[in-house]
Amino acid sequence: MASEEKDEPHPLTSRVKFRLSNRDFRARAHSNPLNDGNFDVPSRPSEVGWRKLFDLESAASEGLRARALKEEVGVTRPEWVDIGCGYGGLLAEMSTAFPDKLMVGLEIRDRPLQFCEERIKKLRKEAPGSYGNVWYIRTNVMKFLANFFEKGSVEKMFFCYPDPHYKKKKHRQRIVSMQLLAEYAYVLSPSALVYVVTDVEELFQWMSERLMNHPLFIRLTDEEIANDPVSPYVRDRTDEAARVEKNRGSKYFSIFRRLPDPTINSC
């Protein structure tokens, strides 16, 4: 019986029972991104060293193992980015569902970032060959996004339950603004997708209005959103989504596409 239990495959999902709990890594819900902080920031994207962060050589995905054998610059850079990833549940959940994609979560708070790293290390150990396509980095996205990502290198960007910063004087700290959308558009590839979800209707309207008023973004149709394979993960399969459902709250969700840069006719 003991040998049969040992050979039983580990369930490939982040919703696995182990002793690590985010209660042990509690942090303040709010952080001022306008303050200077102590961050280890590369001078340019080529100095990030993504190969050291992802575990590609032992990945179960043949696509990732093939990428690990290549030496070209940019081969191992992440395509999916979770902005303000919190405790990292979204990427941990999507890791095995989309094993050929490299994903990185960015979080400004130190304690949640520590939890993300501990969780993904534990998942890699308990499910060898899986979860090597995900990692997390502590940084201030408002200031250092372009230090990590080349122009047009990101395929998907996620904004899940960002800090609403309710007070009007703090709206400039919101993670979606016209100025920041220009930064996001720079690192997003043409046709890349931006996912936004929140339980605060006013914040959803704020983000949606700015995305729709920006010349480089357009909202997907309801049919396109319904057929998007990533939508259920962003909308329904995160720790925050579970909290909202438990409290019988509402979830406001949409997806926007990054449009190609406009053609400039020379005289």
Side-chain angles (χ1 to χ4, degrees), residues 34-47:
L34 303 182
N35 288 342
D36 292 331
N38 184 20
F39 299 98
D40 185 11
V41 181
S43 60
R44 59 182 64 87
S46 60
E47 295 182 358

Side-chain angles (χ1 to χ4, degrees), residues 161-227:
Y161 301 92
D163 192 331
H165 293 292
Y166 290 105
K167 295 182 179 179
K168 188 173 182 180
K169 65 179 181 180
K170 291 185 176 293
H171 283 183
R172 63 196 183 107
Q173 297 182 23
R174 286 181 168 177
I175 198 62
V176 172
S177 66
M178 295 302 288
Q179 179 180 355
L180 288 172
L181 285 176
E183 298 279 342
Y184 303 145
Y186 176 81
V187 302
L188 288 166
S189 62
S191 299
L193 297 180
V194 175
Y195 299 73
V196 296
V197 62
T198 177
D199 58 338
V200 180
E201 185 176 11
E202 184 274 330
L203 177 61
F204 178 75
Q205 293 174 350
W206 165 285
M207 295 189 293
S208 297
E209 287 175 1
R210 278 148 185 79
L211 280 156
M212 289 187 292
N213 289 331
H214 195 285
L216 292 180
F217 294 96
I218 187 172
R219 185 185 182 276
L220 267 60
T221 66
D222 292 342
E223 182 180 0
E224 289 175 314
I225 293 175
N227 293 330

Side-chain angles (χ1 to χ4, degrees), residues 13-33:
T13 172
S14 64
R15 304 196 181 282
V16 58
K17 300 294 183 180
F18 52 82
R19 288 186 294 273
L20 191 65
S21 169
N22 59 20
R23 290 192 298 269
D24 300 323
F25 295 83
R26 284 176 176 170
R28 293 183 60 184
H30 306 281
S31 180
N32 185 357

Side-chain angles (χ1 to χ4, degrees), residues 27-246:
R28 293 183 60 184
H30 306 281
S31 180
N32 185 357
L34 303 182
N35 288 342
D36 292 331
N38 184 20
F39 299 98
D40 185 11
V41 181
S43 60
R44 59 182 64 87
S46 60
E47 295 182 358
V48 176
W50 296 110
R51 291 180 68 91
K52 296 183 294 183
L53 303 178
F54 296 113
D55 182 16
L56 305 186
E57 286 76 7
S58 60
S61 165
E62 294 183 3
L64 288 188
R65 291 201 304 273
R67 292 171 70 171
L69 297 176
K70 297 181 179 180
E71 297 297 334
E72 293 89 341
V73 175
V75 169
T76 56
R77 65 190 179 194
E79 301 102 341
W80 294 8
V81 181
D82 187 6
I83 304 292
C85 65
Y87 290 95
L90 174 62
L91 298 190
E93 187 74 19
M94 293 196 301
S95 175
T96 55
F98 305 94
D100 292 333
K101 294 298 181 181
L102 295 179
M103 316 174 193
V104 65
L106 306 179
E107 172 60 42
I108 193 171
R109 297 169 298 165
D110 183 54
R111 294 288 286 170
L113 194 279
Q114 292 178 21
F115 174 83
C116 290
E117 292 181 349
E118 290 298 321
R119 166 152 71 172
I120 211 65
K121 289 177 181 177
K122 201 170 189 69
L123 288 172
R124 288 178 181 179
K125 183 177 180 180
E126 296 187 3
S130 300
Y131 301 102
N133 58 332
V134 171
W135 193 246
Y136 304 91
I137 292 177
R138 180 174 179 260
T139 192
N140 186 337
V141 171
M142 286 189 174
K143 296 183 177 182
F144 306 122
L145 184 69
N147 293 74
F148 289 89
F149 304 99
E150 301 279 359
K151 180 180 179 181
S153 62
V154 178
E155 298 176 359
K156 294 185 186 296
M157 187 173 286
F158 308 98
F159 297 91
C160 300
Y161 301 92
D163 192 331
H165 293 292
Y166 290 105
K167 295 182 179 179
K168 188 173 182 180
K169 65 179 181 180
K170 291 185 176 293
H171 283 183
R172 63 196 183 107
Q173 297 182 23
R174 286 181 168 177
I175 198 62
V176 172
S177 66
M178 295 302 288
Q179 179 180 355
L180 288 172
L181 285 176
E183 298 279 342
Y184 303 145
Y186 176 81
V187 302
L188 288 166
S189 62
S191 299
L193 297 180
V194 175
Y195 299 73
V196 296
V197 62
T198 177
D199 58 338
V200 180
E201 185 176 11
E202 184 274 330
L203 177 61
F204 178 75
Q205 293 174 350
W206 165 285
M207 295 189 293
S208 297
E209 287 175 1
R210 278 148 185 79
L211 280 156
M212 289 187 292
N213 289 331
H214 195 285
L216 292 180
F217 294 96
I218 187 172
R219 185 185 182 276
L220 267 60
T221 66
D222 292 342
E223 182 180 0
E224 289 175 314
I225 293 175
N227 293 330
D228 181 81
V230 177
S231 292
Y233 292 87
V234 180
R235 185 181 56 242
D236 302 322
R237 301 186 66 177
T238 65
D239 299 331
E240 294 87 352
R243 172 183 55 81
V244 172
E245 292 173 2
K246 181 179 179 180

